[in-house]
Amino acid sequence: MENILEVKDLHVTFDTYGGTVQAVRGVNFNLKKGETLAIVGESGSGKSVTTKALMGLIPKPAGKIPKGEILFGGKDLAKLNDKQMQQIRGRDISMIFQDPMTSLNPTMKISKQIMEGLIQHQKLSKKEARTRAIELLRLVGIPEPEERINQYPHQFSGGMRQRVVIAIALACNPQILLADEPTTALDVTIQAQILELMKDIQEKTQTSIVFITHDLGVVANVADRVAVMYAGKIVEIGTVDDIFYNPKHPYTWGLLGSMPTLDNDEDQLVAIPGTPPDLMHPPKGDAFAPRNPNVMKIDLEKEPPMFQVSDTHYAATWLLHENAPKIEPPAAVKRRMQGFASDHGPTEEGEKR
């Protein structure tokens, strides 16, 4: 299946009073039609900045894309100006933000907020846009949409507000949906409902999704492929099965080890020691080296390339070099890998979870 989006060697920087922050440092990935790609990592790893770059939402003049390509529909989005990007935002690429209350205008009825994009991008009349808005509210599972479309955001619960935000994002049938931690502000039960809703909508519309999260538990249920980001770079990328059954990067081991499980009362969470590096002064070599319990001399001297593990699986760690010592994931990580296997089971190639 051909790629709908290709990101090549993307760099994003921010000028600050203290110096230049290299927030994204050479990111590469692609996205296929109908696929969900999850980008995971700690706060500050560059996940959200990457998605904002795709939408042309890097704040200027402090934010810049000094290098790289974002190829979509025969265009390099990194080269487009704000006016050109306005034709793409909402119509071709939409975004669901983390907190629905900051995404919705509290002074405007839901009807107007959904209809805006339909009138601007789809050139629908107000009557047609209203009919379509009601259909969208019904699609995202809001009961009595004919009545609720006339209400304001404060009249909806947190979960229902997020459904409204999803309806707005889907209004113009975008080819790509960017979801920036869309369930973080919601309780666990509502999270599960929203994730199930997104999976259901994707099956119906074949929209491609880039899902940003720090929660690997969420990834297991929604993604086809996973990209693990650290210090502005993708350090491992593969299918969900690759990442959960056969992780190769020590940082991925750390993320898996910090996942809570219910099957073992004695099992303690494994914290990743240390803190992420200062991207105003990126470290030499492997950025994860100071936090890596299996650090080698070369990690401190030379940045690792992306080693190919399989046709779908790549990781940037010197542990994959043929001369490196053979180091197994920690016992806590292995237990979580086994727990994932018992909870989910391996998937067939191309099968949606």
Side-chain angles (χ1 to χ4, degrees):
M1 191 179 295
E2 67 180 52
N3 296 326
I4 191 171
L5 177 74
E6 291 183 67
V7 177
K8 298 182 178 180
D9 196 26
L10 179 66
H11 290 69
V12 181
T13 63
F14 293 95
D15 294 328
T16 70
Y17 290 115
T20 300
V21 177
Q22 299 179 40
V24 175
R25 305 185 299 136
V27 162
N28 295 276
F29 66 85
N30 58 56
L31 183 68
K32 301 183 185 303
K33 184 173 177 61
E35 176 186 47
T36 297
L37 171 70
I39 302 179
V40 302
E42 293 168 290
S43 296
S45 61
K47 310 182 303 295
S48 294
V49 173
T50 298
T51 54
K52 285 182 172 66
L54 303 184
M55 285 286 283
L57 294 177
I58 299 298
K60 298 174 182 178
K64 299 181 178 67
I65 300 178
K67 187 179 179 184
E69 298 177 305
I70 304 170
L71 304 178
F72 170 77
K75 299 176 181 177
D76 181 1
L77 303 187
K79 301 292 190 292
L80 301 186
N81 58 37
D82 287 341
K83 188 173 182 180
Q84 292 168 321
M85 280 302 301
Q86 284 175 10
Q87 302 302 312
I88 292 173
R89 288 190 209 112
R91 186 188 69 187
D92 299 312
I93 305 177
S94 283
M95 193 162 188
I96 304 170
F97 292 96
Q98 190 171 128
D99 184 356
M101 272 314 279
T102 60
S103 304
L104 297 170
N105 186 330
T107 67
M108 287 171 57
K109 290 182 179 179
I110 294 301
S111 57
K112 187 172 182 181
Q113 298 189 56
I114 301 176
M115 290 164 59
E116 272 184 334
L118 292 166
I119 293 170
Q120 180 179 346
H121 292 300
Q122 305 289 83
K123 309 303 180 186
L124 300 184
S125 66
K126 285 188 177 181
K127 183 178 179 180
E128 292 169 330
R130 185 179 179 84
T131 300
R132 173 62 177 155
I134 291 171
E135 291 173 359
L136 286 163
L137 290 180
R138 188 175 290 114
L139 175 68
V140 299
I142 292 181
E144 302 175 345
E146 293 85 357
E147 287 75 35
R148 304 218 68 181
I149 196 171
N150 295 314
Q151 295 180 336
Y152 291 88
H154 72 270
Q155 295 175 277
F156 290 76
S157 66
M160 286 297 172
R161 282 196 291 265
Q162 194 62 295
R163 288 171 185 263
V164 171
V165 171
I166 294 172
I168 293 171
L170 292 172
C172 297
N173 301 314
Q175 298 180 58
I176 298 173
L177 191 61
L178 307 177
D180 188 1
E181 306 221 27
T183 61
T184 300
L186 307 174
D187 65 56
V188 175
T189 304
I190 304 302
Q191 277 188 24
Q193 293 176 8
I194 295 297
L195 293 173
E196 193 61 38
L197 168 65
M198 292 184 67
K199 284 171 62 178
D200 183 53
I201 288 172
Q202 185 182 44
E203 289 176 5
K204 292 176 181 176
T205 63
Q206 281 296 292
T207 303
S208 302
I209 298 176
V210 177
F211 196 100
I212 304 298
T213 183
H214 62 272
D215 186 348
L216 273 172
V218 168
V219 165
N221 294 313
V222 301
D224 300 301
R225 286 192 302 138
V226 181
V228 180
M229 279 194 80
Y230 183 76
K233 289 178 172 284
I234 290 177
V235 297
E236 185 162 9
I237 188 167
T239 65
V240 169
D241 290 347
D242 291 333
I243 300 302
F244 280 86
Y245 291 129
N246 191 30
K248 294 298 183 183
H249 198 285
Y251 180 60
T252 310
W253 295 349
L255 292 179
L256 287 168
S258 64
M259 281 176 60
T261 59
L262 300 176
D263 57 346
N264 189 344
D265 294 337
E266 299 178 1
D267 203 12
Q268 293 184 341
L269 297 183
V270 180
I272 303 174
T275 57
D278 177 7
L279 292 183
M280 207 173 290
H281 307 286
K284 182 182 178 183
D286 186 345
F288 189 63
R291 308 175 71 186
N292 184 0
N294 301 304
V295 64
M296 299 180 290
K297 184 179 179 181
I298 193 172
D299 287 317
L300 302 170
E301 298 172 350
K302 193 173 181 182
E303 187 177 313
M306 269 288 186
F307 289 95
Q308 182 172 355
V309 182
S310 70
D311 289 344
T312 58
H313 190 185
Y314 297 82
T317 171
W318 286 116
L319 290 177
L320 292 174
H321 192 278
E322 57 184 7
N323 296 330
K326 302 304 177 188
I327 297 175
E328 293 289 319
V333 176
K334 286 187 173 182
R335 285 194 293 272
R336 280 160 180 77
M337 290 160 61
Q338 292 164 357
F340 175 75
S342 62
D343 290 343
H344 299 270
T347 58
E348 296 179 9
E349 185 66 30
E351 182 184 344
K352 298 283 287 183
R353 291 184 182 280

